[in-house]
Amino acid sequence: MPARSSTRPAGRSSAGRATAVEVFKFGGASLADSAAVRHAIDLILAPRTTRVVNVVSALAGVTDALLAIAASARDGDVKAVDTGVDRLHARHAHVGDGVLPNIRARKALRRELDEAFEELRMLAHGVASLRELTPRTRDFLVARGEQLSARIVVAGLVARKAKAQYVEAAEIIQTDGVFGNAFPDLAATDRLVRATLRPLVKRKVIPVVPGFVGGGEGGALVTLGRGGSDLTATVLGRSLKAERITLWKDVPGLMTTDPRLVPTARIVPQLNVREAAELAYYGAKVLHPRALIPLTRVRVPVFVRPFAEPEAPGTEISVRHTLQRYPVKALSIVRGQALITVTGNGMLGVPGIAARTFAALQQAGISVTLISQASSEHSICLCVPSERGKDAKVALERAFALELSRRELEGMDAQTGMATLAVVGLGMAGSPGIASRMFTALSRAGVNIVAIAQGSSELNISVVIAERDAEAAARAVHDEFQLDKIGGGGVRRDDRLDVVLLGVGQIGRELLRMLPLSRRRVRPTVVGLIDRSGFVFEPDGLSPRQLASAVALKAAGKPLTSLAHARKASAPEAVQWIATHALARPVLVDVTADDTLPAIRKALAADMDIVLANKKPLSAPRAEVAALRALAEQHGARILHETTVGAGLPVMDSYAKLVETGDKVLRVEGCTSGTLGFLLTEIGKGRPFSEALGDAMARGYTEPDPRDDLSGMDVARKALILARMLGFEGDLTDVTVDSLVPEAYRSMPVAKFKATLADQDKMWADRQAAATKQGKVLRYVLRATPTKVAVGLQAVPLSHPLAGLRGTDNQIVFTTKRYKEHPLVITGPGAGPAVTAAGVLNDILQLTPA
Ligand code: ADP
Ligand code: ASP
Ligand code: MG
């Protein structure tokens, strides 16, 4: 992969400086296997005008594994220690082998690894026999993760004939010595780094420094807290007066919020250092909480960039202040918090309670994520990590023992299961009403705010909420401040969206006619068409002429393979072949009525998004649908299927909005068959059944065999899809279906069935008369709850919303927690190729970048 990392504009020019330096940090999440390490080496060795100093994290997951080994040792579980050590040893050896091409180099590295892991084992056994794990020993054990990954990177560089050298972090980063959470002594580190690293860089040696580690008192190894490699990088960047610091991570940049929490999170192209520092401090996992402190007075820009896509710009963190239209630029959520409340009248007017609270907790080594004092000064709330909740309470009880004994303070309360949400932006100070917008958005989403704190910097507002509300809260606030529009772009770079159309029937052809009319900045490009015979494909998009001839041909009932440039293939084969090409945001659009699951699976496996008008895939047996959803999740792909229920009506969209805003859908009812709707309203007008159905057939409303509509199976599939969204755990066979075809007519040939329609007229006339007598009308109704799904003929009172339906119109009625007395009703045309194609187009446009 070509790497041009240094061609990006930097904070200042390197012209004239012989040894302009930049710092690279390779994050743990990125360093997953040997291919990743080789990729890091490619990045380091790419041609550039600057010299690179490298910081590496431990290989993905290794720090956690080392901590687990330490914990097993403390508990005396020698067996778990041994398994853990063996596993890590094997993993490192395997990665090393994958990085080093020749046997001699491999052997040399293996010897280093053997030694390191033997030492680790002995140390851990020592801990196990004493059953005591001091913070010092823990740090010593855990530091090994980055030390070994750095060794592997150095070996890999040397194997590529580079002059690379391992530099022990403890020798250049001097810290305050706090085990597990040390902070560098910046002045001392400046001196050490200049004395040690500068000369290496001058000699064109490529230094590789283990991240996360520093030196404490008496030469002890200390760690800088989780995610500490970020801090190593910024400290080195500062001491070296680097041109820039690049943090290579597994995300496209610093985003508006954690993309794992809010799918619409966007890359923030630029952030002011103060904003980024605040975000990090308030727990955005993407940066170590104190990573930006070394850069408060030194203007070195930091770039957070995607390791997997080194040419993408990522996020710039610098002294500039851009995106002023956004008062809020990002938000962070921290789960697993305990809310400690200190109450008492004694706080009134007593200075320094907050300061003493802080001091007590700091002494106990507990970090406070949020502190809020009620204006009455009657109470102080603060958040600490859940697992420290008890310790915090004890520490505070000790610190305020006197006040408690005098009853000036009533007591301390610790409440777990909380989360904090912080919004951050420099523009907040200048725009009033940010807090109230945030609170309104939260309350609309049904999220209860337990405590509020506004940072004195006016750069952030944080709230405490219940942990179970975290996701809903993040989404609501993200939407409120329109953070999905920031930077104007999606997560992916390309401004294209490639459509592969599966099925070129009536809906497909209508869709092809509509696509060129769409008014988005990014117009979807049709790259492939697939039918039962085979497919046509053009990676740059099929031309209008090619599309027109395909449409004409299909309308005339001929297969795609009669086109000159078509290939014969089954649908899964076609998808697989198409997927081997470089496509931009590819989406497979299924407008067939076939069993297309195999083709859809291939598409998902190739990272394609899916748009369905076809009802079959999602009404398939439960296990298959679950597997499909899991596959989509694994590939970060979306499955949109607005038109599988109610054609062009916004049924799924409304459902999603209800759920997103924290509502709960209790029941869905409706009429979702345009054909049956037409039939029953005509019968209601007094027309005989045979005549009404004949009319429906003549208008093309029915399937070739009208019993396919009358059987209710089509409605049953829609009902099942809806019910599954509500949590229904059954299959199509669990749907109670009331067929409108009497038993005797079910297996006769179509022609005979059509010829004997009049025989059923009397039965229908009687049904209608009975309903009329009760002041009711006949409707074919779907009812779905999380536990029961049924479709069938019903007489509904005239006052019921469904009674008002005319012709082929569909209606869906949502009864929800909020819409209980007055359910949410969606009505409109629910059948026909045009409305369905429009719904499909809408789904496709949902996937295009804004
Ligand atoms: P590194 O590999 O450098 O240690 P981390 O794994 O610590 O990187 O940080 C990246 C992770 O941070 C992502 O996987 C993402 O889930 C999480 N994250 C949380 N908040 C954000 C945010 N605002 N922007 C980007 N990533 C975020
Ligand atoms: N390896 C350490 C951690 O997982 C430090 C880091 O990756 O920055 O926390
Ligand atoms: Mg990290």
Side-chain angles (χ1 to χ4, degrees):
M1 193 172 315
R4 290 196 317 233
S5 55
S6 65
T7 55
R8 289 206 30 90
R12 62 188 120 147
S13 151
S14 62
R17 282 213 278 139
T19 48
V21 176
E22 62 180 307
V23 175
F24 276 3
K25 180 215 113 158
F26 296 97
S30 313
L31 297 179
D33 53 22
S34 55
V37 176
R38 289 197 303 269
H39 178 46
I41 291 171
D42 287 341
L43 280 172
I44 297 173
L45 294 180
R48 63 169 58 76
T49 54
T50 50
R51 310 261 169 89
V52 188
V53 170
N54 304 284
V55 175
V56 291
S57 287
L59 303 182
V62 167
T63 304
D64 287 332
L66 287 166
L67 285 168
I69 290 173
S72 305
R74 179 202 56 210
D75 299 342
D77 189 347
V78 178
K79 217 171 132 211
V81 166
D82 284 341
T83 336
V85 172
D86 290 343
R87 203 173 286 157
L88 276 187
H89 191 169
R91 163 126 186 256
H92 282 82
H94 185 74
V95 170
D97 285 354
V99 170
L100 301 175
N102 88 42
I103 304 280
R104 263 185 55 199
R106 283 186 191 174
K107 276 196 176 148
L109 179 65
R110 285 225 176 206
R111 270 196 301 276
E112 274 187 65
L113 293 176
D114 290 347
E115 243 171 66
F117 282 102
E118 224 23 69
E119 192 188 86
L120 175 66
R121 189 192 308 274
M122 274 167 50
L123 266 166
H125 282 189
V127 169
S129 55
L130 292 173
R131 302 246 173 150
E132 188 191 49
L133 178 67
T134 62
R136 182 186 177 120
T137 310
R138 192 207 313 257
D139 270 8
F140 189 79
L141 290 177
V142 170
R144 199 141 303 220
E146 335 312 271
Q147 290 172 327
L148 291 178
S149 63
R151 295 267 180 214
I152 294 175
V153 170
V154 170
L157 284 165
V158 170
R160 298 266 302 262
K161 307 266 179 303
K163 269 202 291 181
Q165 190 174 317
Y166 178 91
V167 176
E168 190 52 76
E171 283 164 21
I172 52 174
I173 297 179
Q174 191 56 50
T175 75
D176 58 14
V178 176
F179 292 110
N181 198 20
F183 193 79
D185 173 337
L186 295 175
T189 302
D190 281 350
R191 286 191 298 274
L192 289 168
V193 167
R194 280 176 207 149
T196 319
L197 277 186
R198 271 261 167 229
L200 284 183
V201 170
K202 274 215 173 101
R203 289 191 351 247
K204 300 197 179 170
V205 173
I206 304 174
V208 180
V209 185
F212 182 50
V213 184
E217 269 156 51
L221 274 187
V222 295
T223 62
L224 310 179
R226 294 309 301 266
S229 301
D230 294 330
L231 180 54
T232 308
T234 53
V235 168
L236 295 186
R238 166 206 159 92
S239 301
L240 291 164
K241 296 204 167 64
E243 287 266 319
R244 74 178 81 77
I245 298 160
T246 304
L247 309 176
W248 297 104
K249 294 196 181 247
D250 70 337
V251 270
L254 202 154
M255 306 186 68
T256 49
T257 186
D258 191 336
R260 281 186 284 207
L261 213 61
V262 181
T264 52
R266 287 288 182 265
I267 307 165
V268 189
Q270 192 268 349
L271 240 82
N272 183 276
V273 204
R274 290 178 58 204
E275 293 171 323
E278 204 92 351
L279 260 184
Y281 181 77
Y282 281 95
K285 185 190 172 252
V286 63
L287 276 181
H288 180 279
R290 295 192 279 183
L292 292 171
I293 294 178
L295 303 180
T296 22
R297 292 224 178 69
V298 195
R299 297 188 160 203
V300 182
V302 176
F303 292 86
V304 175
R305 296 177 62 187
F307 179 69
E309 215 180 342
E311 280 165 286
T315 298
E316 170 189 323
I317 301 169
S318 59
V319 292
R320 298 195 293 139
H321 179 195
T322 64
L323 298 167
Q324 318 228 5
R325 277 174 302 131
Y326 291 88
V328 168
K329 289 208 190 111
L331 58 102
S332 73
I333 286 265
V334 183
R335 296 166 188 261
Q337 298 288 298
L339 180 73
I340 313 279
T341 316
V342 185
T343 41
N345 287 324
M347 285 204 280
L348 222 64
V350 178
I353 296 257
R356 280 169 63 198
T357 304
F358 260 131
L361 294 175
Q362 197 175 14
Q363 238 171 25
I366 301 170
S367 64
V368 179
T369 40
L370 173 146
I371 180 155
S372 146
Q373 178 152 25
S375 52
S376 67
E377 289 196 31
H378 186 73
S379 69
I380 295 180
C381 302
L382 46 103
C383 278
V384 301
S386 267
E387 68 274 11
R388 303 302 308 271
K390 272 213 191 89
D391 302 346
K393 199 170 161 225
V394 171
L396 290 177
E397 276 163 358
R398 196 171 302 146
F400 293 107
L402 190 63
E403 284 84 352
L404 284 167
S405 71
R406 290 194 203 140
R407 310 242 162 195
E408 288 167 8
L409 288 186
E410 274 156 33
M412 324 279 166
D413 177 54
Q415 193 182 349
T416 52
M418 312 305 283
T420 61
L421 184 164
V423 300
V424 169
L426 271 177
M428 277 174 21
S431 32
I434 298 298
S436 80
R437 273 174 72 186
M438 176 168 169
F439 302 156
T440 313
L442 286 172
S443 88
R444 229 184 296 129
V447 175
N448 183 32
I449 302 173
V450 183
I452 299 166
Q454 171 143 30
S456 52
S457 55
E458 282 197 59
L459 234 79
N460 84 76
I461 299 171
S462 342
V463 295
V464 181
I465 54 181
E467 190 163 7
R468 61 171 183 279
D469 289 338
E471 256 180 64
R475 285 173 196 214
V477 175
H478 198 262
D479 280 357
E480 173 59 34
F481 294 105
Q482 305 211 339
L483 295 183
D484 58 333
K485 307 237 162 56
I486 227 167
V491 177
R492 286 176 265 189
R493 275 178 310 158
D494 322 50
D495 276 357
R496 251 180 74 165
L497 179 130
D498 291 341
V499 172
V500 177
L501 185 63
L502 178 57
V504 198
Q506 279 199 55
I507 300 172
R509 296 199 295 274
E510 190 61 43
L511 179 66
L512 289 175
R513 272 191 284 273
M514 281 180 190
L515 268 171
L517 308 175
S518 69
R519 285 278 171 82
R520 278 283 173 113
R521 181 174 62 85
V522 176
R523 182 179 296 162
T525 310
V526 181
V527 294
L529 303 177
I530 306 176
D531 74 357
R532 288 202 187 108
S533 70
F535 69 102
V536 289
F537 172 68
E538 276 303 334
D540 287 331
L542 291 158
S543 70
R545 260 186 53 201
Q546 285 172 314
L547 287 173
S549 55
V551 165
L553 188 97
K554 289 294 293 184
K558 291 199 202 123
L560 277 179
T561 40
S562 43
L563 284 169
H565 53 292
R567 293 163 180 251
K568 247 175 87 166
S570 68
E573 284 165 357
V575 171
Q576 178 145 21
W577 194 83
I578 289 172
T580 57
H581 296 75
L583 298 176
R585 300 167 186 264
V587 43
L588 182 76
V589 178
D590 177 0
V591 291
T592 69
D594 294 344
D595 292 312
T596 49
L597 274 173
I600 295 172
R601 277 189 218 113
K602 290 266 187 246
L604 286 173
D607 290 344
M608 290 179 146
D609 291 318
I610 309 290
V611 170
L612 299 174
N614 185 0
K615 298 181 248 321
K616 288 225 172 106
L618 295 181
S619 54
R622 203 162 85 84
E624 283 181 43
V625 177
L628 198 72
R629 297 250 181 227
L631 189 63
E633 179 138 336
Q634 185 192 336
H635 286 269
R638 299 177 63 186
I639 301 178
L640 300 182
H641 56 100
E642 182 62 90
T643 54
T644 53
V645 180
L649 296 183
V651 178
M652 300 300 151
D653 197 37
S654 309
Y655 177 82
K657 296 234 164 78
L658 288 170
V659 173
E660 269 167 27
T661 56
D663 201 350
K664 190 169 157 57
V665 178
L666 307 170
R667 185 170 74 232
V668 187
E669 290 157 294
C671 290
T672 61
S673 165
T675 316
L676 295 182
F678 176 83
L679 182 71
L680 293 174
T681 36
E682 290 303 305
I683 293 175
K685 286 183 201 156
R687 289 180 85 183
F689 166 77
S690 56
E691 202 184 303
L693 186 60
D695 195 358
M697 289 193 285
R699 290 169 188 244
Y701 289 167
T702 62
E703 298 292 320
D705 183 344
R707 284 173 299 184
D708 289 345
D709 298 295
L710 294 169
S711 73
M713 279 321 284
D714 186 61
V715 179
R717 283 188 194 281
K718 293 174 180 173
L720 179 64
I721 293 173
L722 278 170
R724 281 178 169 169
M725 297 202 313
L726 308 188
F728 179 69
E729 302 209 325
D731 283 319
L732 199 54
T733 47
D734 300 312
V735 179
T736 314
V737 188
D738 167 20
S739 172
L740 299 183
V741 188
E743 193 71 54
Y745 295 83
R746 289 189 193 161
S747 50
M748 62 176 57
V750 195
K752 184 157 179 227
F753 175 72
K754 287 188 182 170
T756 55
L757 288 180
D759 296 353
Q760 297 177 56
D761 285 350
K762 166 123 181 21
M763 174 187 76
W764 280 98
D766 290 348
R767 277 180 182 162
Q768 180 60 46
T772 311
K773 214 167 120 194
Q774 295 180 312
K776 292 181 174 176
V777 294
L778 294 176
R779 294 288 179 260
Y780 198 82
V781 180
L782 148 182
R783 278 178 70 97
T785 71
T787 51
K788 194 168 181 308
V789 196
V791 303
L793 192 68
Q794 266 184 27
V796 299
L798 288 171
S799 59
H800 194 283
L802 290 173
L805 278 184
R806 294 286 165 264
T808 59
D809 277 5
N810 278 7
Q811 185 168 80
I812 293 280
V813 181
F814 286 108
T815 305
T816 77
K817 233 168 55 194
R818 285 193 209 127
Y819 292 93
K820 211 162 185 178
E821 251 103 84
H822 303 284
L824 181 69
V825 179
I826 301 162
T827 313
V835 285
T836 308
V840 171
L841 178 56
N842 196 41
D843 273 352
I844 297 173
L845 294 181
Q846 299 273 317
L847 297 168
T848 64

